[in-house]
């Protein structure tokens, strides 16, 4: 606590974490190992509550199928073992929505408060609750309006029920706010008020909505409001972070502006192909059921929404959350839309179960022939449906076993599988620094004495490799011939990708010399390993006795000539 990251830095948490793990005599592997257990336990609790909630709404079959999709999702399997907030965000949205749908004020209020403590993006639950409350008030009173002929009576009935829902929603918000307040009061207990104000002002100095930033700074100066000021600071920091975008590789291009196609494409690539097939079947049969319905009235539509309010709430959440994510320029991973996954699993499971049960069957079982006909349509005709579902479920199950332990890097078969996923999208979709220790195992197995490394991740190469580690980046050019060079997929793809309009990239500061070159090995899936003596055979002068004395510019120039790339002769002359 006497170091600069604690006493002076405003956002010194990265330095603090690095020092704590790798520079304080601790065992980082043991710390990380045990730190993952609470996340694993949270994932187990998530699965249990998801199953229990769905079973209470739609029965055992739908609940089991939903739980199966959850348990064998490569994305959930990946993020259920990392010390991050992504699983917590998905859990928070689930318990918040599930509790609110039941309209139990105390439970929903507690769920809301817990959700807000898990991740700042869960502030979205506030507007969702208002939408759900208004919609439920309308749907629950829609049928009763037939009994009233006076517009005045209808108005007052609606008004009364809306007031009731509003009071319940306010109670939920108040309970949640109380939980937030007491947790943050403990959080800032030893935080000097003057320091909180100055830190808040500095952090929000560039926030786009100046009056809002000033309000939070003022709240930090009022003792009783300090806990809420710290909470709101986190929310504004998230808004500020999302608005700033992020340099990302996406489908052969690199940009900081984001793409509206990013999350739909990432979901299509990262979810299992078998689940996509079941989703398509569910969508088609659902659409077919709507078109074949004999009662296509507005009243029946509202009646369905009311009777299936859990599904309705899920659909609304998926649409709003996905729309907000698509509009954001912050494109760093499919994990950011993880909260919508459980609700998609529920929607697909519900429709698939109805399909295999032949729910559209309207035959009677009267008489001998009637019973035979009923049995045929109920059991024999559904065999192909069960077979399709069985194959898809088995496919997902085997896929989960085969993918182990590379769930973070998983890409489905339609796009070349996990091995080729880095060609489409990187960052936390493929490469999050998870293979650093596997690179260490490679160096030990192959007796590598020195490795040049450009690493993307939160681990410490210096801790694991010691003096073997030679930090590198694209600006330094080509490492010496004969050396081992390793680079994370994210940095390699961002360096060699085509910049989009408006994104400036200096070609001289890229890994142009790695284009079309195959690595000699990979550490896990995400770190590519090259042996420079092999790589440079076609790229550098044959006289290896003098080559090490060449300057970086001469080596780069000669490499570019041999690769047929543009060069600058001033490097030679």
């Amino acid at each position: 606590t006497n170091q600069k990251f604690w006493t002076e830095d405003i956002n010194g948490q990265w330095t603090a974490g690095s020092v704590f793990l790798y520079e304080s005599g601790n065992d980082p592997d043991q710390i990380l190992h045990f730190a993952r257990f609470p996340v694993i336990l949270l994932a187990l609790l998530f699965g249990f509550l998801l199953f229990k909630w769905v079973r209470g709404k739609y029965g055992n079959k739908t609940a089991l199928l939903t739980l199966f999709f959850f348990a064998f999702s490569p994305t959930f399997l990946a993020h259920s073992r990392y010390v991050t907030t992504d699983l917590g965000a998905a859990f928070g949205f689930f318990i918040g929505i599930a509790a609110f749908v039941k309209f139990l004020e105390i439970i929903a209020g507690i769920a809301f408060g817990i959700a807000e403590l898990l991740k700042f993006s869960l502030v979205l639950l506030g507007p969702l609750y208002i939408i759900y409350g208004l919609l439920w008030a309308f749907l629950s009173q829609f049928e009763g309006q037939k009994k009233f002929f006076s517009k005045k009576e209808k108005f007052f009935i609606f008004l009364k029920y809306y007031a009731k829902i509003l009071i319940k929603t306010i109670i939920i918000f108040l309970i949640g706010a109380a939980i937030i307040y007491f947790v943050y009061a403990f959080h800032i207990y030893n935080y000097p008020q003057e320091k909180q104000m100055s830190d808040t002002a500095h952090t929000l100095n560039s926030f786009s909505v100046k009056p809002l930033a000033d309000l939070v700074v003022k709240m930090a100066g009022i003792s009783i409001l300090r806990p809420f000021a710290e909470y709101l600071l986190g929310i504004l920091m998230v808004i500020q972070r999302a608005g700033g975008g992020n340099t990302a590789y996406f489908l052969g291009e690199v940009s900081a502006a984001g793409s509206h196609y990013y999350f739909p494409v990432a979901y299509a690539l990262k979810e299992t192909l078998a689940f996509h097939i079941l989703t398509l079947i569910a969508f088609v049969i659902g659409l077919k059921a709507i078109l074949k319905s004999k009662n296509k009235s507005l009243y029946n539509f509202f009646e369905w929404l009311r009777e299936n309010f859990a599904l309705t709430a899920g659909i609304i959440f998926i649409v709003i959350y996905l729309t907000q994510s698509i509009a954001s320029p912050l494109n760093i991973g499919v994990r950011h839309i993880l909260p919508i996954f459980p609700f998609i699993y529920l929607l697909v499971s519900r429709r698939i179960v109805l399909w295999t049960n032949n729910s559209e069957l309207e035959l009677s079982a009267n008489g001998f022939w009637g019973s035979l006909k009923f049995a045929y349509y109920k059991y024999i005709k559904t065999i192909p449906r069960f077979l399709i579902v069985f194959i898809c479920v088995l496919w997902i199950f085997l896929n989960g076993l085969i993918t182990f332990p590379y769930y973070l890097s998983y890409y489905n078969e339609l796009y070349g599988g996990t091995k080729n996923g880095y060609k489409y999208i990187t960052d936390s979709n493929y490469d999050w620094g998870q293979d650093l220790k596997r690179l260490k195992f490679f160096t030990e197995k192959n007796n590598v004495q020195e490795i040049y490394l450009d690493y993307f991740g939160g681990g410490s190469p210096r801790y694991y490799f010691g003096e073997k580690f030679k930090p590198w980046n694209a600006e330094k050019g080509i490492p010496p011939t004969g050396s081992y060079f390793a680079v994370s997929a994210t940095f390699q793809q961002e360096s060699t990708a085509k910049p989009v309009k408006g994104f400036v990239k200096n070609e001289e500061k890229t890994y142009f010399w790695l284009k079309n070159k195959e690595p000699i090995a990979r550490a896990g899936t995400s770190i590519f390993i090259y042996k420079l003596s092999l790589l440079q055979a076609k790229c550098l002068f044959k006289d290896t006795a003098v080559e090490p004395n060449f300057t970086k510019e001469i080596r780069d120039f000669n490499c570019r000539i041999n690769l047929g790339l543009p060069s600058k002769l001033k490097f030679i002359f």
Side-chain angles (χ1 to χ4, degrees):
T1 56
N2 61 351
Q3 297 191 50
K4 183 175 178 292
F5 64 75
W6 186 274
T7 57
E8 298 179 31
D9 293 348
I10 293 175
N11 287 314
Q13 63 266 32
W14 294 102
T15 306
S18 180
V19 170
F20 170 68
L21 285 171
Y22 301 110
E23 301 171 25
S24 301
N26 294 320
D27 183 345
D29 293 324
Q30 188 180 58
I31 293 172
L32 292 170
H33 178 75
F34 286 109
R36 288 173 175 169
F37 274 89
V39 183
I40 295 170
L41 292 174
L42 181 62
L44 293 174
L45 177 63
F46 193 170
F48 170 73
L49 293 178
L50 178 63
F51 170 80
K52 188 174 180 180
W53 182 67
V54 175
R55 183 177 64 175
K57 296 287 183 181
Y58 301 107
N60 284 325
K61 292 181 180 178
T62 302
L64 281 171
L65 192 56
T66 302
L67 179 61
F68 175 80
F69 292 146
F70 169 87
F72 281 88
S73 162
T75 305
F76 264 112
L77 283 169
H79 295 283
S80 294
R81 58 176 178 174
Y82 291 135
V83 192
T84 60
T85 56
D86 299 300
L87 180 82
F91 178 78
F93 274 113
F94 169 72
I95 62 171
I97 292 173
F100 188 85
V101 166
K102 287 190 172 184
F103 276 101
L104 301 174
E105 298 96 322
I106 296 177
I107 295 176
I110 294 172
F112 176 70
I114 292 173
E116 294 307 305
L117 297 173
L118 291 171
K119 196 170 184 177
F120 289 115
S121 60
L122 278 109
V123 70
L124 184 61
L125 277 175
L128 274 173
Y129 281 2
I130 295 173
I131 293 171
Y132 290 158
L134 293 174
L135 180 60
W136 178 252
F138 171 77
L139 294 176
S140 60
Q141 293 299 303
F142 183 77
E143 184 178 10
Q145 296 307 302
K146 288 184 175 182
K147 302 175 183 177
F148 304 96
F149 300 96
S150 166
K151 290 183 178 180
K152 186 177 180 181
E153 283 182 308
K154 290 181 180 181
F155 173 77
F156 280 109
I157 289 292
F158 266 121
L159 192 63
K160 182 180 178 181
Y161 199 76
Y162 273 124
K164 182 180 178 182
I165 295 296
L166 179 62
I167 292 171
K168 285 188 174 185
T169 305
I170 291 173
I171 292 173
I172 290 171
F173 285 148
L174 289 175
I175 294 173
I179 292 172
I180 293 168
Y181 185 89
F182 285 112
V183 170
Y184 273 86
F186 173 79
H187 179 65
I188 64 167
Y189 185 74
N190 285 319
Y191 193 6
Q193 187 168 355
E194 297 77 14
K195 187 81 169 80
Q196 182 183 353
M197 289 181 65
S198 62
D199 288 352
T200 303
H202 183 275
T203 304
L204 299 179
N205 183 52
S206 59
F207 190 75
S208 56
V209 186
K210 196 65 177 173
L212 192 56
D214 292 340
L215 175 63
V216 176
V217 174
K218 288 180 181 178
M219 289 175 65
I222 302 173
S223 297
I224 197 170
L225 297 179
R226 287 181 62 202
F228 285 134
E230 189 70 4
Y231 168 71
L232 291 174
L233 170 63
I235 292 175
L236 297 192
M237 287 176 68
V238 167
I239 295 172
Q240 190 169 245
R241 172 75 177 91
N246 190 80
T247 300
Y249 171 81
F250 178 58
L251 300 181
E253 297 180 336
V254 62
S255 169
S259 169
H260 294 319
Y261 306 107
Y262 183 90
F263 286 109
V265 171
Y267 177 76
L269 292 168
K270 297 284 291 176
E271 190 53 77
T272 63
L273 191 55
F275 182 73
H276 286 325
I277 292 171
L278 290 175
T279 302
L280 182 60
I281 292 172
F283 177 78
V284 170
I285 60 179
L287 186 62
K288 185 179 176 182
I290 293 172
L291 295 175
K292 287 178 65 177
S293 175
K294 298 176 182 178
N295 300 312
K296 296 186 183 72
S297 66
L298 192 62
Y299 172 79
N300 287 326
F301 172 69
F302 289 146
E303 185 67 16
W304 185 92
L305 293 180
R306 186 176 68 84
E307 292 179 355
N308 296 275
F309 193 68
L311 297 180
T312 303
I315 293 171
I316 292 172
F317 171 63
I318 291 169
V319 172
I320 292 177
Y321 194 86
L322 192 57
T323 301
Q324 180 267 334
S325 299
I326 289 172
S328 171
L330 187 62
N331 295 166
I332 58 176
V334 74
R335 60 191 176 91
H336 279 189
I337 60 168
L338 194 64
I340 71 174
F341 281 36
F343 296 96
I344 295 176
Y345 297 155
L346 168 58
L347 289 167
V348 173
S349 299
R350 174 63 174 160
R351 180 50 58 181
I352 291 297
V353 168
L354 290 175
W355 183 56
T356 54
N357 285 343
N358 205 2
S359 61
E360 68 271 24
L361 189 65
E362 296 181 357
L363 299 171
S364 70
N366 295 330
F368 176 74
W369 294 110
S371 298
L372 285 180
K373 195 173 182 180
F374 180 84
Y376 168 76
Y377 280 98
K378 180 70 175 176
Y379 302 108
I380 306 300
K381 195 176 180 180
T382 56
I383 289 177
R385 301 180 182 184
F386 275 105
L387 189 60
I388 292 171
V389 174
F390 174 77
I391 291 172
C392 287
V393 166
L394 181 62
W395 186 354
I396 293 171
F397 173 76
L398 294 175
N399 182 80
L401 299 182
I402 295 169
T403 304
F404 176 85
Y406 304 114
Y407 296 116
L408 186 77
S409 301
Y410 173 80
Y411 277 72
N412 63 43
E413 300 85 345
L414 192 62
Y415 300 94
T418 300
K419 182 180 179 181
N420 297 301
Y422 72 94
K423 297 177 181 178
Y424 302 98
I425 320 176
T426 53
D427 210 297
S428 61
N429 296 294
Y430 197 85
D431 168 29
W432 222 7
Q434 72 273 17
D435 290 319
L436 184 62
K437 288 179 69 177
R438 292 188 176 100
L439 179 62
K440 178 191 175 186
F441 299 151
F442 172 86
T443 61
E444 292 172 348
K445 182 179 179 181
N446 293 276
N447 196 29
V448 176
Q449 298 303 311
E450 197 173 63
I451 187 159
Y452 292 81
L453 172 62
D454 192 2
Y455 170 67
F456 176 80
S460 172
R462 180 68 66 193
Y463 174 83
Y464 288 108
F465 295 94
E467 295 304 314
K468 290 183 180 181
F469 168 59
K470 304 298 177 185
W472 204 256
N473 58 59
E475 294 186 20
K476 295 182 179 180
I478 308 171
T481 303
S483 61
Y484 282 89
F485 171 66
V487 57
S488 293
T490 297
F491 285 148
Q492 176 172 310
Q493 293 303 95
E494 287 180 359
S495 173
T496 57
K498 175 186 175 183
V500 301
K501 186 177 180 181
F503 186 87
V504 179
K505 187 170 77 168
N506 187 342
E507 183 67 21
E508 299 303 323
K509 298 178 180 179
T510 67
Y511 289 120
F512 64 87
W513 44 277
L514 285 179
K515 272 194 173 182
N516 304 318
K517 298 298 177 182
E518 288 295 323
I520 62 168
R522 284 197 203 182
T525 57
S526 66
I527 300 179
F528 303 127
I529 305 167
Y530 298 89
K531 184 71 181 294
L532 270 296
S533 57
L534 298 175
L535 173 68
Q536 295 180 323
K538 296 180 181 179
C539 201
L540 297 171
F541 290 124
K542 295 180 180 179
D543 190 355
T544 55
V546 286
E547 187 279 322
N549 297 320
F550 289 165
T551 65
K552 164 188 174 296
E553 287 78 11
I554 292 178
R555 291 203 307 272
D556 285 358
F557 167 80
N558 196 61
C559 182
R560 298 177 76 82
I561 290 296
N562 282 280
L563 290 175
L565 297 171
S567 61
K568 294 183 178 181
L569 292 183
K570 68 179 181 180
F571 286 165
I572 291 295
F573 302 115

